[in-house]
């Protein structure tokens, strides 16, 4: 115990003396949480629309103004040639082409039906897809409103209509920030936890101080605890800072209890610090440690369900996410923050995380050698 | 002189794959002795020393350090030895005092002991004013002396010094050796590797390693006679030229 006290004292002195670490702990969470949630938003806005109007009628004008008056579309190009519109797409100045055929108004009035043509720039597939869906909705709406104009009376429309109304549970306004902020906080904790531990230990290897420690009677477990505890505390501090920012800037108040969040985070940090430790036992230089962490982080983030829904991943990728500690924490954070889940709901997640913590730390302790 | 043997090795060997770094070395070191461990670069000095300190597993052979077996009792050995590696390895972002506190603490010394010992070292090295200065801001010569003081802070039986005076100016080297003599006078056994032959002359006994084997072991005076050489420099050259291995 006394040995551990001396090691912890040393570690904290070093951390607080390193301005780079202090900056990392304070500034990184603040900046990431202030900037990323605004940018990482799925809602597609500002779709650049090129209109090919071959009709030049009052209905075509009405349709165009209806589309561009929504916040989703901006009229980027207006012409009467498909080629010139396509050119806009080729130069990436337009995302979507809407072509209105020559006899649009005439057919609409006479034949009671008309056709429109929509082409999307699928280089950004999400944008093309969503843009086409939005525009279809707007056209549908337009369709109904002109029908209403025509059939004023009788009140009963000849055509039955089924309208779907939906309500969004747990996030009624579909505010993306409620969804992203908890996830980004998880990534932050992961990066700080795993990287700081790995770099810290590998740096001692590089400088040679670890050898000096290895020649003392300090036990493996004491040395490892001396490294884990400070970064565990820092991790919980960063979490607190993050939750504070979430509340102050985004007004996010967890629906569940803070105790649940902290309990899971404490366990999660143990697992992630263990991973950092594991990286440090295999890396000989700080560069190696950085690269390994970077690689792991990429996989964890992309397969963690932060940006893309795990449910829509292919089967094999879904299996991968089962081995990704990040995906559990992101899920738990969203459950607790948005749904107000308690311990009973995240029991399985807790047990799995305990498993991760045991495996990573056990492996790290096993592969850390005082003697070669 | 007390004739207790504090280091005994018997055919101690270390192989890395097909390469034999240390080849069945046998020697004994007596308590309170200053034992010079010489050899060209790559001769196997550091590897041999790391085995004795419990940092490296021997491949075969026997060794006892401070009365403990290097295979089974290496943690007990660690309580009784001090080690100063080739690389300077105090914590540079801790102060002089904090380094001593740390190493005193992890060897299980009491707070009173740490306090009193720190004072006496600061006085001995004449660095009282620098007690609260970060180690990284000290000149190299001072750092080395400090590293030695920290290596014997917990009053070990044996201290291992791996090229302790590399890159240090002659004045600081002379001062360093005064510290070694002072330590030896208190009964600490000093096991030191060096490339400076004038330092070899200061040792009670000297061994010279060539290609992983100990080629010669005697007092400096006796070695010069045996090899019919005017100085330790000549003795070393005569032996080291036989080396097949090239240094790293």
């Amino acid at each position: 115990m006394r040995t551990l006290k001396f090691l912890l004292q040393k570690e904290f002195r070093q951390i607080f003396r390193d301005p780079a670490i202090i900056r990392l702990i304070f500034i990184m969470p603040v900046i990431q949480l202030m900037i990323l949630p605004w940018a990482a938003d799925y809602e597609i806005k500002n779709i650049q629309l090129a209109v090919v109007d071959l009709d030049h009628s009052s209905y075509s004008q009405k349709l165009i103004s209806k589309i561009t008056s929504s916040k989703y579309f901006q009229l980027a190009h207006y012409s009467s040639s498909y080629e010139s519109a396509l050119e806009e797409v080729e130069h990436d100045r337009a995302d979507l082409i809407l072509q209105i055929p020559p006899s649009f108004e005439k057919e609409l009035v006479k034949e009671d039906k008309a056709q429109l043509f929509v082409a999307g720039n699928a280089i950004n597939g999400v944008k093309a897809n969503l843009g086409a869906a939005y525009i279809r909705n707007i056209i549908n709406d337009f369709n109904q409103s002109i029908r209403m104009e025509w059939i004023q009376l009788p009140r009963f429309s000849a055509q039955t209509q089924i309208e779907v109304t939906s309500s969004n549970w747990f996030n009624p306004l579909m505010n993306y920030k409620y969804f992203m902020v908890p996830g980004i906080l998880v990534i932050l904790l992961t990066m700080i936890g795993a990287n700081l531990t790995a770099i810290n230990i590998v740096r001692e290897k590089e400088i040679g101080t670890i050898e000096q420690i290895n020649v003392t009677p300090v036990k493996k477990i004491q040395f490892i605890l001396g490294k884990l505890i400070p970064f565990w505390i820092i991790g919980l501090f960063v979490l607190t800072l993050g939750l504070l920012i979430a509340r102050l800037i985004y007004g996010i108040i967890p629906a569940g209890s803070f105790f649940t969040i902290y309990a899971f985070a404490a366990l999660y940090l143990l697992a992630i610090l263990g991973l950092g430790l594991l990286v440090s036992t295999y890396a000989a230089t700080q560069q190696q440690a950085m690269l390994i962490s970077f690689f792991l982080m990429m996989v964890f983030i992309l397969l963690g369900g932060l940006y893309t829904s795990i449910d829509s991943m292919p089967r094999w990728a879904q299996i991968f996410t089962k081995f990704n500690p990040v995906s559990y924490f992101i899920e738990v954070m969203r459950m607790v923050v948005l749904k107000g889940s308690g311990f009973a709901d995240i029991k399985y997640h807790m047990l799995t995380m305990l498993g991760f913590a045991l495996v990573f730390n056990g492996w790290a302790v096993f592969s850390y050698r005082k003697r070669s | 002189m007390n004739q207790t043997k504090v280091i005994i090795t018997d055919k101690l060997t270390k192989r890395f794959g097909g390469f034999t770094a240390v080849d069945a070395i046998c020697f004994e070191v007596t308590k309170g002795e200053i034992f010079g461990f010489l050899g060209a670069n790559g001769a196997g000095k550091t590897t041999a020393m790391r085995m004795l300190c419990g940092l490296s597993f021997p491949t075969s052979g026997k060794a006892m350090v401070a009365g403990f077996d290097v295979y089974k009792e290496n943690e007990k050995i660690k309580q009784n030895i001090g080690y100063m590696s080739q690389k300077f390895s105090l914590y540079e972002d801790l102060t002089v005092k904090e380094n001593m506190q740390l190493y005193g603490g992890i060897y299980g010394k009491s707070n009173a002991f740490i306090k009193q010992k720190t004072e006496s070292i600061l006085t001995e090295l004449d660095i009282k004013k620098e007690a609260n200065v970060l180690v990284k801001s000290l000149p190299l010569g001072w750092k080395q002396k400090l590293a030695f003081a920290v290596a014997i802070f917990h009053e070990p039986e044996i201290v291992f010094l791996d090229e302790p005076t590399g890159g240090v100016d002659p004045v600081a080297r002379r001062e360093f050796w005064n510290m070694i003599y002072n330590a030896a006078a208190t009964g600490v056994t000093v096991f030191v590797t060096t490339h400076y032959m004038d330092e070899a002359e200061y040792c009670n006994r000297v061994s010279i390693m060539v290609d992983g084997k100990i080629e010669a072991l005697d007092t400096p005076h006796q070695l010069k006679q045996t090899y019919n050489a005017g100085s330790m420099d000549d003795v070393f050259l005569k032996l080291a030229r036989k080396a097949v291995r090239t240094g790293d």
Side-chain angles (χ1 to χ4, degrees), chain A residues 121 174 191 221 262 346:
Chain A
N121 176 3
M174 280 290 270
M191 293 208 315
I221 191 78
Y262 276 90
I346 60 166

Side-chain angles (χ1 to χ4, degrees), chain A residues 2-3 5-7 9-10 13-14 17-18 203-219 223 227 369-372, chain B residues 14 50 53-57 70-71 74-75 78-79 83 85 87 89-91 93-95 98 101-103 105-111 134:
Chain A
R2 198 159 165 273
T3 304
K5 189 204 107 191
F6 280 101
L7 289 173
Q9 187 181 39
K10 159 218 167 234
R13 276 176 174 154
Q14 287 181 303
R17 239 165 237 167
D18 187 344
R203 202 176 75 179
E204 288 218 24
K205 268 194 202 175
E206 274 184 356
I207 303 173
T209 45
I210 203 165
E211 188 160 287
Q212 198 66 48
I213 293 287
N214 283 345
V215 85
T216 70
V218 167
K219 292 187 180 66
F223 178 77
K227 290 292 178 193
R369 291 258 177 276
K370 279 185 85 176
R371 219 175 359 173
S372 53
Chain B
K14 177 81 181 187
R50 287 172 57 86
C53 294
L55 286 171
S56 173
F57 274 108
V70 291
Y71 289 94
N74 83 90
E75 292 303 319
K78 285 174 182 175
Q79 189 64 47
Y83 173 69
S85 74
K87 280 189 195 170
S89 50
L90 291 181
Y91 287 97
D93 46 0
L94 294 182
T95 67
E98 286 164 355
Q101 193 188 13
L102 172 66
Y103 283 104
I106 58 184
Y107 279 103
K109 295 295 176 191
S110 71
N111 291 338
L134 293 186

Side-chain angles (χ1 to χ4, degrees), chain A residues 298-309:
Chain A
M298 284 285 275
V299 175
F300 282 175
I301 292 173
L302 291 178
L303 287 180
L306 174 66
Y307 297 109
T308 46
S309 167

Side-chain angles (χ1 to χ4, degrees), chain B residues 228-246:
Chain B
N228 194 19
S231 65
M232 278 304 294
D233 228 12
D234 294 334
V235 176
F236 186 80
L237 287 174
K238 278 186 177 169
L239 285 164
R241 280 220 181 98
K242 294 197 284 186
V244 186
R245 271 187 217 168
T246 47

